[in-house]
Amino acid sequence: MIAEIIPAGTEAPLRFLLIEDNPTDVELLEYELRRSGFEFTLAVVQTPEEFTRELRTTPPHLVMADYNLPSWRGMEALEIIAREGQDIPLILVTGALADTTAVDCIKEGATDYVLKGTLARLPVAIRRAFQEKNLREQRKRAEENLARSKRALEKSREDQLRFKDDLLSHVSHELRTPLTAIKQFSTILLDGSAGELNHDQHKYQQIVLKNILQLQAMIDDLLEVTRLDNGKLTFKPESVSVPAILTDAIDTVYVSAHAKGITLSCDPSPGVPAACADPTRLRQILLILIDNALRFTPSGGAIRIRARPSEEDFKFVLFEVSDTGCGINSEDLDRVFERLYQVRPDQSSREGLGLGLFICQGLVTRHGGQIWVESELNKGSTFSFTLPVFSVNNLIAPLEAALKSQTL
Amino acid sequence: MTNGKILIVEDDADISLGYKVFLQVRYEVFFAVDVPSAVSEALRLQPDLIILDLGLPGEDGFVALERFQENPILSGLPVIVVSGRDPAANKNRSLEKGAKAFIRKPWNNAELLTTIDQFIGRGERVAAGGASLDP
């Protein structure tokens, strides 16, 4: 019975420390405790100094204190216990005590109070004090374990993320070596360095090269996503002329659009301000959006690229890439910016890893802009994004944001 | 009559052959497969330009760049790093260590040729002005 309630990890005899100036009361209390079957030693002190010394030399399992002492009050013992950094239950054992005072004492941290007239209740109070202390310690241990598990879990998650990043960047690098050889020899065959190819051979070799370039783009995307994820994306905003960058993007895709019979038009509004962007990244965003539009637009369709000051916020330039393609159904519409999400047009095989729009979104966000899509089935889609208008403040802001996100 | 000598430091035999077939019509091409052979071949051949891979057996291409810089005969040689490694992490480091350009593998033939021509022209001018280097 007693073994169940003694403080965890302690062995009998229990050490009791009593603050009491009346020898008769000490005797009565000791008698009552022996009668209840406790195995214990009892130290008795009268002054705060004695109490403190006893706490330091032989810390007790339990303190009992008279409420009214000649030079101090029993409740002050609680402050001393706390100051000494100890967690020891304290029971007030006192003559008369008003109910309100008793309640105050409990509020201040006393475990219980027992009137000297009903000392028979003391053993019960002691057992309960120990039970409470054991529960408190159990809870503390459980909380510590929980915090430890949480830390271990976080660390394992970080390790996993780092492993994933390392793996992706390693793989995308290692894949390049064989790809380089394949691409080089495909190019050599195509340019006739190894002898003229007949018409069919040339055509097939072009298919080989086209697929190599696609594979290369996928490997690039893999690495790009790793960079976006771990915040290592290189990003140097500067003042970018919007009409110039749109023209450049159109020039890049002109041949493939023309081959597919798709009209391209570029329409920067007059006086559109310079954007605050990394020109390589802005070009990349536009090309991903235009490439997507080309994939989903049938022959005879049109792609229109527009740019103008944002009507909602004049501090942003609004870019739009609209197509007259198949459109996106509402289910897909919510998910197109997700990583690895792919919408496959009819009769089309895989064209990428499903990372393009995810990368786009990451790039636009890093610039401090927003990206969204509106679409109507069988009519077409419009991808819109905003980028800050160039100003010295905007030049600094994304850098500050990037620094902040790195320190988080 | 070729336009100059190029030393290619590349440990992958297939890629080396790819360089050779593509470049030999314009230049004299030579090969090294690691840092020690790169340094000894560069000293022996005195090429007009070096194409350098970063991932080499033993010491990597950055060590080769250091060896070239340390050597008064080689320090003026234009080096183009052609590597599959991430430019974000390796381009600036290559340029800081003396490379003239960084091209990502798989390279684009037209881009590589333009870059080579740009530096080989410059290399010839340096060689003409640096006659004191000749024994």
Side-chain angles (χ1 to χ4, degrees):
Chain A
M1 172 69 191
I2 288 183
E4 286 169 27
I5 50 85
I6 64 168
T10 54
E11 287 178 15
L14 294 165
R15 290 190 300 277
F16 291 150
L17 178 56
L18 177 62
I19 307 170
E20 178 62 78
D21 60 339
N22 184 329
T24 315
D25 284 349
V26 173
E27 265 178 54
L28 277 173
L29 185 139
E30 191 170 1
Y31 171 77
E32 191 58 46
L33 292 178
R34 297 264 175 236
R35 206 169 64 97
S36 311
F38 283 110
E39 270 184 68
F40 64 94
T41 59
L42 183 70
V44 183
V45 294
Q46 294 186 7
T47 65
E49 293 75 27
E50 286 172 353
F51 178 67
T52 309
R53 198 178 317 123
E54 196 63 26
L55 270 188
R56 288 178 186 170
T57 52
T58 38
H61 298 112
L62 179 96
V63 174
M64 288 166 282
D66 194 358
Y67 182 75
N68 287 308
L69 294 157
S71 60
W72 59 312
R73 296 185 334 136
M75 282 304 287
E76 288 168 41
L78 270 180
E79 290 165 24
I80 296 174
I81 293 172
R83 201 160 57 231
E84 294 293 312
Q86 304 206 28
D87 178 18
I88 302 169
L90 180 138
I91 296 174
L92 285 171
V93 182
T94 184
L97 195 63
D99 280 352
T100 49
T101 316
V103 169
D104 285 346
C105 290
I106 302 281
K107 273 185 191 161
E108 284 171 45
T111 307
D112 205 345
Y113 73 97
V114 175
L115 297 177
K116 284 180 178 169
T118 56
L119 270 185
R121 216 182 70 78
L122 185 59
V124 180
I126 291 176
R127 290 196 176 97
R128 219 183 60 204
F130 285 153
Q131 271 170 351
E132 279 176 14
K133 187 175 181 219
N134 285 349
L135 281 176
R136 213 161 46 233
E137 279 172 357
Q138 274 170 18
R139 195 170 61 213
K140 202 173 140 201
R141 267 197 304 278
E143 279 166 0
E144 280 167 1
N145 283 340
L146 193 70
R148 227 184 345 264
S149 308
K150 228 167 133 181
R151 279 196 300 275
L153 201 69
E154 272 164 21
K155 188 174 177 307
S156 127
R157 199 179 117 77
E158 279 167 17
D159 287 349
Q160 274 175 17
L161 282 178
R162 196 172 314 116
F163 174 75
K164 185 205 77 179
D165 286 350
D166 288 351
L167 181 74
L168 280 179
S169 90
H170 179 78
V171 163
S172 76
H173 169 231
E174 289 302 319
L175 289 176
R176 274 170 197 279
T177 303
L179 190 68
T180 301
I182 298 167
K183 185 182 173 191
Q184 186 58 12
F185 285 100
S186 172
T187 312
I188 286 166
L189 288 176
L190 270 172
D191 70 15
S193 303
E196 283 306 311
L197 301 182
N198 69 32
H199 179 266
D200 281 352
Q201 286 167 340
H202 195 268
K203 188 173 134 196
Y204 302 155
Q205 203 50 240
Q206 269 181 329
I207 294 174
V208 173
L209 185 61
K210 188 183 85 184
N211 281 273
I212 292 168
L213 293 175
Q214 211 174 80
L215 192 58
Q216 186 182 335
M218 288 180 185
I219 293 170
D220 287 344
D221 280 358
L222 263 187
L223 194 65
E224 198 73 341
V225 165
T226 315
R227 289 199 201 111
L228 271 174
D229 282 351
N230 63 21
K232 282 187 188 156
L233 191 87
T234 49
F235 173 76
K236 286 185 193 128
E238 56 182 72
S239 168
V240 180
S241 153
V242 173
I245 199 117
L246 293 191
T247 309
D248 177 70
I250 294 269
D251 287 349
T252 310
V253 293
Y254 179 78
V255 174
S256 43
H258 186 71
K260 225 187 144 183
I262 293 170
T263 318
L264 278 176
S265 65
C266 164
D267 187 14
S269 74
V272 58
C276 181
D278 181 318
T280 315
R281 299 304 184 184
L282 174 49
R283 191 171 181 276
Q284 190 182 357
I285 298 166
L286 287 166
L287 287 178
I288 291 172
L289 295 179
I290 299 171
D291 272 343
N292 267 354
L294 278 172
R295 274 167 56 195
F296 295 99
T297 304
S299 181
I303 297 172
R304 190 172 180 200
I305 300 137
R306 284 184 290 186
R308 60 174 184 274
S310 166
E311 283 144 22
E312 287 178 16
D313 187 344
F314 64 91
K315 283 181 288 195
F316 285 87
V317 184
L318 173 67
F319 295 81
E320 284 175 351
V321 177
S322 314
D323 62 56
T324 58
C326 55
I328 307 168
N329 69 46
S330 53
E331 277 169 43
D332 289 328
L333 209 54
D334 296 334
R335 303 188 56 194
V336 289
F337 293 108
E338 284 176 21
R339 181 200 306 249
L340 301 179
Y341 195 73
Q342 284 176 304
V343 183
R344 290 200 174 155
D346 296 340
Q347 299 163 338
S348 158
S349 58
R350 84 284 169 278
E351 289 265 355
L353 292 174
L355 293 172
L357 288 175
F358 176 76
I359 291 171
C360 254
Q361 188 182 40
L363 290 174
V364 169
T365 311
R366 279 295 300 273
H367 279 82
Q370 286 182 305
I371 186 166
W372 66 96
V373 58
E374 289 154 299
S375 187
E376 202 173 331
L377 268 184
N378 302 318
K379 293 238 168 126
S381 307
T382 299
F383 283 84
S384 311
F385 65 96
T386 55
L387 291 181
V389 166
F390 178 79
S391 74
V392 176
N393 282 345
N394 282 346
L395 193 62
I396 299 166
L399 295 175
E400 282 177 340
L403 281 174
K404 248 182 225 164
S405 74
Q406 272 172 6
T407 53
L408 279 178
Chain B
M1 181 68 188
T2 63
N3 299 322
K5 281 191 275 188
I6 296 180
L7 174 63
I8 294 161
V9 188
E10 168 64 63
D11 64 314
D12 186 289
D14 292 344
I15 293 178
S16 292
L17 182 60
Y19 275 121
K20 188 179 174 186
V21 175
F22 154 60
L23 292 173
Q24 68 185 1
V25 290
R26 292 160 161 262
Y27 311 99
E28 270 187 275
V29 287
F30 302 90
F31 292 92
V33 293
D34 55 18
V35 175
S37 65
V39 174
S40 62
E41 285 297 277
L43 286 169
R44 185 177 72 84
L45 299 160
Q46 306 249 334
D48 298 292
L49 181 135
I50 295 175
I51 286 177
L52 175 68
D53 186 19
L54 288 179
L56 294 169
E59 298 162 310
D60 69 7
F62 290 117
V63 178
L65 285 170
E66 284 166 17
R67 297 275 180 280
F68 297 154
Q69 286 295 310
E70 287 160 11
N71 192 309
I73 299 173
L74 305 178
S75 61
L77 272 180
V79 180
I80 301 175
V81 169
V82 181
S83 168
R85 292 194 190 171
D86 186 358
N90 296 283
K91 183 177 174 178
N92 281 342
R93 196 171 159 212
S94 301
L95 300 183
E96 279 162 17
K97 286 189 181 286
K100 294 288 184 204
F102 182 101
I103 290 180
R104 186 92 193 269
K105 279 180 184 170
W107 66 83
N108 172 299
N109 277 351
E111 183 194 0
L112 184 59
L113 273 186
T114 313
T115 313
I116 291 173
D117 287 345
Q118 191 183 340
F119 292 113
I120 278 208
R122 194 177 296 176
E124 275 169 357
R125 279 197 295 279
V126 170
S132 60
L133 288 182
D134 294 331

